[in-house]
Structures are given as C-alpha cells and as structure tokens.
Amino acid sequence: MSAAQILNVEHLTMRFGGLVAVSALSFSARVHEITALIGPNGAGKTTLFNCITGFYKPTVGRLQLTHPDGSSFLLERLPEFRIAREARVARTFQNVRLFAGMTLLENLLVAQHNALMLASGFTVLGLFGSRAYARAEARAIDKARYWLDRIGLAARADDPAGALPYGAQRRLEIARALCTDPVLLCLDEPAAGLNNRESAELNLLLRAIRDEHGTSILLIEHDMGVVMEISDHIVVLDYGVKIADGAPAEVRNDAKVIAAYLGVADAEVEHAEAEAAP
Amino acid sequence: MSERAPRVPRESGRFNPREVLAAAKEAAVAALVALGLFVLLIGVRTDQGPTGALVIRTRFGALAAIVAAVFVGRLVLALARHDARLSIGRLAPAALRAALSGLGIYAAAAFLAFALIVPIVFYTDRYLLDLAILIVTYTMLGFGLNIVVGLAGLLDLGYVAFYAVGAYSYALIAQHFGLSFWICLPLAGILAAFAGLILGFPVLRLRGDYLAIVTLGFGEIIRLILLNWQDLTGGPNGISEIARPSFFGLPFNSTAHGFAATFGLTYSPTHRIVFLYYIILALALITNWVTLRLRRLPIGRAWEALREDEIACRALGINTTTTKLTAFAMGAMFGGFAGAFFATRQGFISPESFTFGESALVLTIVVLGGRGSQLGVAVAATVMLGGFEFFREFEQYRMLVFGAAMVAIVIYRPRGLVATRTPSVSLGARTDIPAAIAGGARTETPA
C-alpha cells in the first residue's frame, strides 16, 4: 500500500480481570480513508475505541498515531484529554453524549475550548474584554455555524441540544467532534437508530468529511449498508481477535466473517464435537 | 360513569359518590395514623402532682380535635386532587407564568436599585441595617458557592471552610502585621483560593455523594484545626479586637481625625454600619459581575459542560482536572472575601461561627434560588434570612414554618425559584432553556 498510515495498532491487549476483551490485535488505518471496525456484539470494538481515545489504558500493546505532517504520538501514554488536544483524535459515543442543557451553538463552542482558552489569555484577558478574544470568539462561532449548516441544523442553533430528535443529536455529536479539528475521527455506531433516509445523509456527510477536510475516519458500525458503501477498508473482530482485514469486497466473501455473523453449518459443529470427544 | 373514567376538568363542583367514598377512606386511614401517633404525644401527659409524684393527665379532647383536623384536611386534599379546578396549573395560568419569567431582568434591576437605597431608607433602623448586611453577606456566599455547585455541578457541603479561612486570614494578618483591611482583603481571598485548591486535589476523582461527604469532612477539619491550634488561632476563645476598615484612612470614631469630624458631621455609629453595608454590597456586585462574565468565557462554558457530561468534556480535550480546580479556587476566593468582611464587621471571630449549619444555609440558598441563577440566589437569601427574622416572634415554630416552606418549594419548584438557564451565547434572540432540559448530569463510563 502506498498511502501513509495514520493509526498503527500493534499487539493491543486489554484485560478486565480474567476477561480478555481485545487480544493481541494489530491493524493499521490509512490517511484519508474510512476504516470500518465490524464484528458481532461483544467483539471488543468499543473497548478498542476506549483504548485509542485514552479512556482505557491497554494492558499490553502500542498505539501509534502519525499526523500527515509527520509528527507522531504514542496514544497509550497520553491521558484522554491530551489525545484529543494534542494528538487530535476526536470521538463520538455509542449512547449519544451531548451537553443536553446547553444550546447547539454552545455545544460546538465547548468543543473549541482549548483554542478559545488560549485566546482569552486563560480567562484573564477575556475577563477584561480583550478585543483579540472577541475576534477569536467570532471566528469560533463562524466555525460552529459552518458545521451546523453542514449537518442541516443551522436553524436550531439556539435550541437546547436535549430537545433535538435522536438522528439530529447523532449528527450534532459528529459536528461537535469535528469542531476540535481532528486528524482522526472515531465514530461509535453513528448510524444506530437512524432511518434509511438519515443513514443515506450520514453516508454523504462522512464522505464529504473525508474528501473535503482530509480527516481520516475510524468507524464502528452494525449497519452493513453503511459499512459496505462508504468504507475503504474493513477490520473484522470476533471475541477480541481480528478475523479479517481488507477491502469491503474481500471481507464480504471471507468464510470466517460469514461464520462469525451467521454461524456455521450443523455438520461442521458435529465434526468438531466428534474430534473433541475422547 | 365507569371506574376508570378519565379525570377531566369539570365545570360543576359536584363529585361522584365513588370518589367521595374513596377520599373518605383515605382520610380515615390518615386519621388512624394520626391517632396512633398522637395518642401518647398529646393524649397522655405526665405532670407533677400535688405530692410531687408524677401523675398522668389525659387530654382526649385535644387528641380528638387533632385527629378530626387530620381527617378533614386529608379529605379536602383528596377531593381537591380529583378536582382540576384546584390544581396548581389553574391557580397560576400559563399566561401569568410567561409574564413572570419575562420580568426577570426588571426584577433584577428593581432588586439592585432597592439594595442601593436600603441604608438611606432605613437609616434610623440599626436592626434592619444589620439584617441587610447579613443578607448581602449570604448573597455573596451564595454567588461564590453557585460557581462550584450551580455552574460546575460539584456538590460542596464544606463551603464554610473557605469563609473561615478568609476570616482568620484577615484577622491574623491584620493583627500580626498591622496591615489595613484593603490590603488584607485580597490576601484573604488568595489564601482561601489556595485552601480551595488543597481541597480540590484529593476530591478530583469523586462525584456526587462521595464528593459531598469529603467536602463535608473538609469543612469540619478546618473548624477543628481552628479550635485546637491554640497558639495561632486562640482556640475556642477566638480572636477579638480585629481592626475595623477605615474610609480612605479616616477611622469611624468620634475623634478629631475621624470620618464624622473630617466631613463636618455629628458623630454617629451608624456611619460605620452604612459604610460596611456598601462594602459588602460592592463585593457582592463584583462577585456577580465576575460570575456573569466567566459564564460567557470558555472556562465558564467548560464548567457548565462539566456539569452536563464530564466524559464528553474529556473526549473534547478539556483538562477536567484544572477546570474543576479553577471552579473550587474561584468559589473559595469569593468565600474568603466574604469571610474577611465578616471578621472586620464582627470585630471578633471564633470557630463557633463556622459550623456545618452555615454551609447548609448557603447551600440551601443556592438550591432554593435555582442552581446557576444569580437573581434566584439573591432572592433566596433575602427570603430565607429575612424570613428567619420576620418569624422570630414565633420562636420554635419558625423552624416548622421554614420546614414547611422548604417542602412546598421542593414539591412545586424542585429546581429552585429560577430554574431556567440563559444560554451564554446565541445567534438570534436569547431565549431561556426550560428547567426540564437544563441540568441533569450523567456519570456512567463511556460506551
């Protein structure tokens, strides 16, 4: 492959007591691509996300993130807020986590906290009404407005996020993650609970993010329609182990993947049991 | 009418017999409970007889009256519940409520204007001036605690510790170094902010109930240190003869260099009281201004985001450690200013002034006022402390009144007097966020 790698996962293992959620997993995601992580429930996908974004510290393994400009970060050594701030990895959550009592605009401004904090001279200059801070805030509002336009929620900018319908909340969470200017965007089941029209819109949005903004995307998804249509590269997990890795067409026809999703024929089970019996 | 008929508002006042019967049954049960409760409390009483021995005196008449009162009260309540005409919604129609919520800004302005003229209106009433100073002091404490509890959502039950640190800092620095109030005031604030940081570090990982317990403990630790560190704080004897503030170097006394003599006035002790009132009012207004300003800055938005969802904050690159610590330090600093003022006003401080009751009172003011609302805090402080004084003649019953008022507020305004939230920034017209959506934090692990 010629494209540069953005994320390189090596021998990642995550244990919770006796339970091995992710076991010696290695794969890489490439720049400007949409990489999908799929697998049955409990395969360790969200655990992997929590390791990448620093909410869990992996038991063993290395997570190397390389920016397009060449700077590189070892994610397993950074606390989660520095992964978001310095390594510029943004994420969304499986069960949407918005600031429900704050408006859409406020949600997107909180996402630009670090830039605004710097502009407000760590609050001191901002407290005395510095011009530079006012300009920085205006720019931040412009950026928020841009993303609200892109997700089709500009008209509701001043409504509380908690009042939005579910599909719109999912889009807002993606927009909020994008307001941090990420190089890698991790989306945990962005299409869950969306209807067909909404997931078609989501496909368009994700492609646009990749093509126009050059953001690489790592995606957990159960909706195979979405996965097969927009992914450039798919990694399949089952019981914390990688069972397939490749382009959508290859993965779709992989025997192990089909077995993991659909189970195996009875004859094969009987055969295996006969072998296991003394 | 079927048994499960929907309860629709009816124009006529008539009840159907089934409802009346059900209500009577409910009232009878309540009366029975009352009988069980009061038969020994009220029905039987032991008195000293003529020979000095205890005799039992029965008061069945009083008992019957109480039980009857419970029966009737419960019956009326049960019937009222069935009759939509008596519901709260009917008593305060939507139009009236909308009008009231629009009044917020005018109410705040009127409140401020009144606060400014209090010493002029009540110049001759020393008692009311003292009460006004007390109310404004607690309003300021409420503003300070509002940063921690209302904005950042960190439940702090030991806020009085910072009040104490501020008071003792001022008293000790003023006594040992002979510095004036105006130099000691910022020092007291800074020292209290440090105390806030010291408390903040160990409790960073705690949330909700656990945080509340540890802060409660911190408040007690500070009080016990003040009580036992005799050499420094004077222990239970406290510190007396604390320096009074001067008016740009002019002391408030009857000497030729005093405030009154310099301005050609007849000396009156009220001058100093009025001066103190304006000091604390200015401090409270500064606290208010800073808080409102902070809310619109990134740090204030981060505090509110922290209250809404801490995990989402961390995923957005916000350092929750420093964000929480700044909230603690800011709240503590204003508590410290108020403490320094308290010390200079009283002229005497001892650990007795900084008990858990004070923390509870300030927290009650914040919760009753509506977490995050500045106007709500000011109104709640006035109502609470004013109410305490107003009902003083009822003696021990005023606690009963206070408790009943509390219960009423919790039932009818569970999120405080001012429960709506004003957005910190908006594209169009600023509209308040209704109470049902504002607030309510989630604290699970990420999924």
Side-chain angles (χ1 to χ4, degrees):
Chain A
M1 295 284 169
S2 57
Q5 289 170 354
I6 183 145
L7 179 70
N8 199 7
V9 177
E10 288 171 30
H11 287 284
L12 182 80
T13 299
M14 183 75 213
R15 276 193 209 100
F16 297 102
L19 176 80
V20 184
V22 176
S23 171
L25 175 68
S26 302
F27 76 94
S28 49
R30 289 182 295 271
V31 175
H32 304 324
E33 283 196 357
I34 297 181
T35 305
L37 272 171
I38 63 170
N41 285 328
K45 305 182 297 291
T46 297
T47 304
L48 173 64
F49 256 41
N50 282 341
C51 288
I52 292 171
T53 51
F55 283 92
Y56 292 157
K57 290 288 156 244
T59 319
V60 181
R62 206 166 85 126
L63 294 156
Q64 188 176 29
L65 184 91
T66 315
H67 281 191
D69 67 8
S71 53
S72 144
F73 300 86
L74 290 176
L75 301 184
E76 76 277 8
R77 296 190 189 168
L78 293 177
E80 71 288 272
F81 72 90
R82 289 184 59 196
I83 289 180
R85 188 171 73 190
E86 290 153 38
R88 301 204 354 242
V89 177
R91 75 171 286 181
T92 65
F93 295 89
Q94 200 172 339
N95 45 354
V96 183
R97 283 180 171 274
L98 289 170
F99 306 122
M102 302 172 83
T103 65
L104 274 60
L105 183 63
E106 285 180 301
N107 267 272
L108 299 190
L109 287 186
V110 171
Q112 303 175 54
H113 175 80
N114 290 312
L116 285 174
M117 202 65 184
L118 206 63
S120 74
F122 296 94
T123 307
V124 180
L125 295 177
L127 199 57
F128 297 104
S130 114
R131 285 277 175 77
Y133 172 68
R135 282 196 298 273
E137 196 186 29
R139 276 198 304 276
I141 291 175
D142 281 343
K143 190 201 252 182
R145 196 184 286 166
Y146 167 80
W147 282 114
L148 284 174
D149 267 332
R150 290 301 301 265
I151 60 171
L153 290 174
R156 305 200 60 178
D158 296 331
D159 287 349
L164 289 179
Y166 190 71
Q169 292 198 6
R170 284 229 171 263
R171 293 205 302 276
L172 179 62
E173 207 189 12
I174 295 173
R176 190 180 65 181
L178 285 165
C179 276
T180 63
D181 288 330
V183 295
L184 178 66
L185 176 64
C186 300
L187 303 173
D188 199 345
E189 298 198 21
L194 301 191
N195 62 33
N196 287 340
R197 191 177 55 80
E198 284 174 325
S199 42
E201 283 171 7
L202 179 74
N203 286 354
L204 285 178
L205 177 67
L206 295 185
R207 281 214 183 105
I209 292 167
R210 177 192 60 185
D211 298 338
E212 294 168 28
H213 295 270
T215 308
S216 313
I217 297 177
L218 191 63
L219 170 86
I220 293 178
E221 191 48 72
H222 281 298
D223 185 336
M224 286 303 144
V226 173
V227 171
M228 292 300 165
E229 200 182 323
I230 65 169
S231 313
D232 301 302
H233 173 198
I234 297 180
V235 176
V236 190
L237 296 186
D238 191 19
Y239 293 108
V241 179
K242 183 170 87 174
I243 58 171
D245 185 350
E250 299 165 28
V251 167
R252 198 192 322 225
N253 298 319
D254 190 296
K256 278 193 207 152
V257 176
I258 295 169
Y261 269 91
L262 302 176
V264 290
D266 286 347
E268 284 177 49
V269 176
E270 278 159 20
H271 179 70
E273 279 173 358
E275 275 187 356
Chain B
M1 202 184 253
S2 78
E3 197 176 23
R4 297 208 172 268
R7 284 173 191 147
V8 285
R10 283 162 304 172
E11 293 310 312
S12 80
R14 266 177 282 147
F15 299 97
N16 83 42
R18 197 185 289 275
E19 279 178 7
V20 175
L21 200 67
K25 209 160 134 190
E26 196 181 318
V29 171
L32 206 66
V33 172
L35 180 69
L37 254 176
F38 293 120
V39 69
L40 292 178
L41 281 175
I42 290 175
V44 182
R45 188 187 159 91
T46 49
D47 268 336
Q48 264 190 345
T51 60
L54 285 177
V55 294
I56 289 178
R57 200 154 57 80
T58 55
R59 295 190 296 184
F60 291 132
L63 179 66
I66 281 235
V67 171
V70 168
F71 181 82
V72 172
R74 187 76 208 191
L75 189 70
V76 169
L77 199 69
L79 289 176
R81 211 167 39 212
H82 289 284
D83 192 348
R85 284 179 312 155
L86 294 172
S87 74
I88 290 300
R90 277 295 274 260
L91 292 176
L96 178 67
R97 278 194 246 170
L100 278 177
S101 71
L103 278 177
I105 185 79
Y106 300 107
F111 212 68
L112 176 62
F114 179 70
L116 283 170
I117 58 164
V118 158
I120 299 164
V121 176
F122 301 111
Y123 186 76
T124 49
D125 196 337
R126 170 78 195 262
Y127 169 70
L128 272 179
L129 283 180
D130 277 335
L131 179 60
I133 290 177
L134 192 71
I135 288 175
V136 182
T137 311
Y138 277 92
T139 305
M140 177 164 176
L141 285 171
F143 286 161
L145 187 61
N146 210 356
I147 294 176
V148 186
V149 176
L151 293 184
L154 304 162
L155 185 53
D156 184 351
L157 288 182
Y159 191 63
V160 75
F162 309 124
Y163 190 41
V165 169
Y168 272 86
S169 301
Y170 168 65
L172 292 172
I173 294 173
Q175 261 190 350
H176 289 284
F177 303 103
L179 297 174
S180 84
F181 175 73
W182 297 108
I183 295 169
C184 292
L185 184 70
L187 289 178
I190 290 167
L191 286 171
F194 269 114
L197 290 181
I198 291 169
L199 166 68
F201 270 112
V203 304
L204 279 171
R205 293 168 168 275
L206 305 177
R207 289 199 194 101
D209 311 352
Y210 305 98
L211 177 70
I213 291 296
V214 175
T215 52
L216 176 74
F218 185 78
E220 284 301 291
I221 289 171
I222 294 281
R223 191 176 65 83
L224 289 174
I225 289 175
L226 295 178
L227 202 57
N228 290 297
W229 195 353
Q230 299 251 2
D231 303 339
L232 184 73
T233 65
N237 299 327
I239 301 174
S240 51
E241 288 169 29
I242 298 168
R244 303 290 195 167
S246 59
F247 183 81
F248 298 106
L250 300 175
F252 286 91
N253 56 24
S254 53
T255 61
H257 308 290
F259 172 80
T262 314
F263 287 91
L265 303 166
T266 333
Y267 170 74
S268 155
T270 315
H271 291 158
R272 198 186 72 228
I273 305 296
V274 170
F275 181 58
L276 283 172
Y277 176 80
Y278 280 118
I279 289 179
I280 189 64
L281 188 63
L283 285 173
L285 288 176
I286 289 170
T287 313
N288 183 37
W289 180 81
V290 170
T291 311
L292 290 178
R293 195 88 205 183
L294 285 175
R295 261 204 72 200
R296 293 168 176 225
L297 286 171
I299 186 70
R301 272 196 288 267
W303 286 337
E304 290 200 82
L306 198 66
R307 178 190 69 201
E308 300 273 331
D309 196 323
E310 185 178 340
I311 284 169
C313 279
R314 287 191 279 166
L316 293 173
I318 296 175
N319 184 345
T320 50
T321 306
T322 50
T323 308
K324 279 185 189 178
L325 285 180
T326 46
F328 271 120
M330 271 286 167
M333 186 179 77
F334 291 122
F337 287 151
F341 172 81
F342 175 77
T344 195
R345 180 181 90 108
Q346 298 290 98
F348 165 76
I349 49 171
S350 77
E352 258 171 63
S353 309
F354 308 105
T355 55
F356 170 67
E358 301 296 305
S359 291
L361 182 59
V362 179
L363 187 66
T364 314
I365 287 171
V366 171
V367 172
L368 281 190
R371 291 180 302 165
S373 159
Q374 300 293 98
L375 177 63
V377 167
V379 172
T382 313
V383 171
M384 289 264 303
L385 295 162
F388 264 152
E389 292 305 314
F390 184 73
F391 289 112
R392 194 170 276 282
E393 56 195 284
F394 292 93
E395 291 170 9
Q396 70 266 44
Y397 295 110
R398 74 186 170 140
M399 284 321 251
L400 199 68
V401 173
F402 173 61
M406 254 342 198
V407 170
I409 290 247
V410 167
I411 291 175
Y412 296 116
R413 306 245 24 173
R415 287 176 186 276
L417 294 172
V418 183
T420 53
R421 174 179 174 273
T422 313
S424 64
V425 61
S426 68
L427 292 180
R430 223 173 268 257
T431 41
D432 284 355
I433 295 172
I437 298 172
R442 297 194 305 172
T443 51
E444 321 94 275
T445 50

